[in-house]
């Protein structure tokens, strides 16, 4: 399977703990995105990278959230001091920017439950 | 703020019939639109996209129509199959290269009745 891979698929943690998620994009894709999706809602943009550079962060991304893409390949999203409101599906997507039409390809997400 | 929205949260269609899912957007500067399909437990799957300089685009069994005058987007699925049952999202983008920051609607749940 050469699609976007996310790990873990599910994470249950206690409030106050730190969690880290990993995303492996489609290998030739230069852009990587993180979105968050809560039940019954569409995905909300969090941040995106062009190669290793983080180009934009949403206001949704509080200072407890940090994302990295150190070598321009895989990315990690860390949430520190988790809160119950962080419970959501965290989606990663990638795209190859070579022109205007470059659809995002999503992984199957990491579902976070904060108890 | 401006956002993408959907007219109907649920839609039930008899297998074999055609379905139409509608979407209203409010950002007149949006220039790229995408439809995604999301099945339970999975991430959104790209279906079809359209740029603002077009008003219609066809794929395999799917057609997207864009009416910029009334800021309306629709997805037509022909000859629906059970596998078409899913939540469908429209998304819009404003940006020079597309996909920099997609704004998604709430979604419409399509159920195909056998």
């Amino acid at each position: 399977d050469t699609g976007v891979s996310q790990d873990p698929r599910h994470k249950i943690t206690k409030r106050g703990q730190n969690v880290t998620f990993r995303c492996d994009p489609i290998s030739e894709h230069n852009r990587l995105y993180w979105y968050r999706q809560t039940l019954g809602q569409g995905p909300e943009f969090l941040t995106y990278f062009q190669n290793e550079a983080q180009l934009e962060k949403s206001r949704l991304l509080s200072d407890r959230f940090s994302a990295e893409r150190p070598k321009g390949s895989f990315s990690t999203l860390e949430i520190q001091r988790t809160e119950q409101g962080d419970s959501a599906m965290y989606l990663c997507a990638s795209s190859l920017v070579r022109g205007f039409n470059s659809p995002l390809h999503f992984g199957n997400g990491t579902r976070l439950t904060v108890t | 703020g401006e956002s993408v929205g959907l007219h109907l949260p649920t839609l039930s269609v008899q297998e074999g019939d055609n379905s139409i899912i509608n979407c209203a957007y409010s950002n007149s500067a949006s220039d790229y639109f995408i439809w995604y399909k999301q099945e339970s437990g999975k991430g959104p799957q790209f279906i079809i996209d359209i740029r603002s300089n077009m008003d219609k685009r066809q794929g395999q069994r799917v057609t997207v129509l864009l009416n910029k005058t009334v800021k309306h987007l629709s997805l037509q699925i022909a000859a629906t199959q059970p596998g078409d049952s899913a939540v469908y999202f429209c998304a819009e983008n404003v940006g020079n290269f597309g996909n920099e920051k997609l704004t998604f609607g709430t979604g419409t749940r399509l159920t195909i009745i056998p």
Side-chain angles (χ1 to χ4, degrees):
Chain A
D1 188 343
T2 57
V4 176
S5 177
Q6 293 188 247
D7 183 71
R9 288 297 313 276
H10 303 275
K11 179 70 177 178
I12 299 174
T13 191
K14 292 184 178 179
R15 188 176 53 191
Q17 297 295 305
N18 299 343
V19 294
T20 300
F21 310 140
R22 177 181 170 119
C23 172
D24 287 273
I26 294 172
S27 59
E28 65 269 24
H29 284 186
N30 53 2
R31 281 202 180 172
L32 186 147
Y33 309 78
W34 286 99
Y35 281 76
R36 181 173 68 186
Q37 185 177 27
T38 54
L39 197 62
Q41 301 296 316
E44 296 175 295
F45 170 81
L46 293 178
T47 188
Y48 87 96
F49 293 82
Q50 171 94 7
N51 299 314
E52 67 275 9
Q54 188 173 17
L55 297 186
E56 187 171 349
K57 294 194 292 185
S58 164
R59 285 171 293 179
L60 294 174
L61 213 65
S62 76
D63 56 7
R64 296 185 297 106
F65 288 70
S66 62
E68 294 183 343
R69 194 184 183 198
K71 297 181 180 179
S73 56
F74 74 91
S75 176
T76 57
L77 177 68
E78 181 183 17
I79 309 174
Q80 296 182 327
R81 305 180 304 281
T82 52
E83 302 173 356
Q84 287 187 321
D86 297 332
S87 295
M89 174 78 84
Y90 290 85
L91 293 163
C92 178
S94 68
S95 69
L96 177 61
V97 177
R98 53 185 174 189
F100 193 82
N101 295 340
S102 52
L104 270 69
H105 297 270
F106 283 86
N108 287 328
T110 294
R111 180 166 296 284
L112 173 66
T113 302
V114 182
T115 62
Chain B
E2 295 179 315
S3 63
V4 172
L6 293 175
H7 293 304
L8 297 173
T10 61
L11 178 65
S12 295
V13 174
Q14 203 75 35
E15 181 179 354
D17 287 352
N18 299 334
S19 68
I20 299 177
I21 301 172
N22 296 302
C23 176
Y25 66 95
S26 57
N27 188 346
S28 57
S30 293
D31 52 11
Y32 181 54
F33 304 88
I34 308 176
W35 280 100
Y36 282 92
K37 170 186 180 184
Q38 188 172 27
E39 297 174 281
S40 181
K42 296 186 177 180
Q45 176 188 355
F46 170 78
I47 300 173
I48 192 168
D49 57 1
I50 188 167
R51 295 170 58 178
S52 59
N53 61 352
M54 303 170 69
D55 54 20
K56 180 179 180 179
R57 192 165 189 220
Q58 289 184 293
Q60 187 177 13
R61 288 200 303 118
V62 295
T63 301
V64 56
L65 299 178
L66 175 63
N67 186 330
K68 294 180 289 294
T69 303
V70 295
K71 297 178 195 168
H72 184 267
L73 194 67
S74 69
L75 176 70
Q76 300 177 1
I77 305 174
T80 53
Q81 303 168 357
D84 295 329
S85 293
V87 177
Y88 289 81
F89 293 97
C90 65
E92 63 178 324
N93 173 256
V94 179
N96 292 329
F97 298 102
N99 297 324
E100 289 167 348
K101 188 168 63 177
L102 288 178
T103 300
F104 283 78
T106 306
T108 292
R109 180 174 297 281
L110 175 65
T111 301
I112 306 303
I113 304 167

